[in-house]
Amino acid sequence: MKYERAFTPEWIHELQDNEVFVFGSNLAGAHGGGAARLAYKKFGAQWGIGVGLQGQSYAIPTMQGGVDTIRPYVDEFIDFARRHAHLTFLVTKIGCGIAGFRDETIAPLFREALEVENILLPKDFVDIITA
């Protein structure tokens, strides 16, 4: 599978009207650090909501256990993005900061996202998935 579109920028400071910031969260929606804090401060994430679309952000829980507990939320996100083709989703390296996972562990969860044109992935994730 080929990925022939832009990558998620390394640093995201602003969004276009049709763009959504996809970040790793915790189920409690306590967006206190990392990308979650940025989503809360700048992109409409709501305190107390740890899953799904909020303003111009989309939360994927990563703090509740291992990869098997993250996978269903990633699959749900990919389905959501397919149904909302008018939006562009900028996926950050979810789970690879405060949650403590390695890129090599999280990136494969996004394999199906390679075929979804309105999902942008970090270059590191794409390199791992397509290697």
Side-chain angles (χ1 to χ4, degrees), residues 10-14 21 23 31-45 57 92:
E10 184 91 17
W11 299 103
I12 300 168
H13 300 287
E14 60 185 23
F21 181 80
F23 68 99
H31 307 307
R37 182 175 172 81
L38 179 61
Y40 176 67
K41 292 287 189 186
K42 290 195 76 167
F43 304 130
S57 64
T92 63

Side-chain angles (χ1 to χ4, degrees), residues 15 20-25 29-32 35-60:
L15 296 171
V20 177
F21 181 80
V22 182
F23 68 99
S25 67
H31 307 307
R37 182 175 172 81
L38 179 61
Y40 176 67
K41 292 287 189 186
K42 290 195 76 167
F43 304 130
Q46 296 176 10
W47 199 269
I49 301 176
V51 183
L53 186 68
Q54 308 154 49
Q56 278 188 272
S57 64
Y58 189 103
I60 298 177

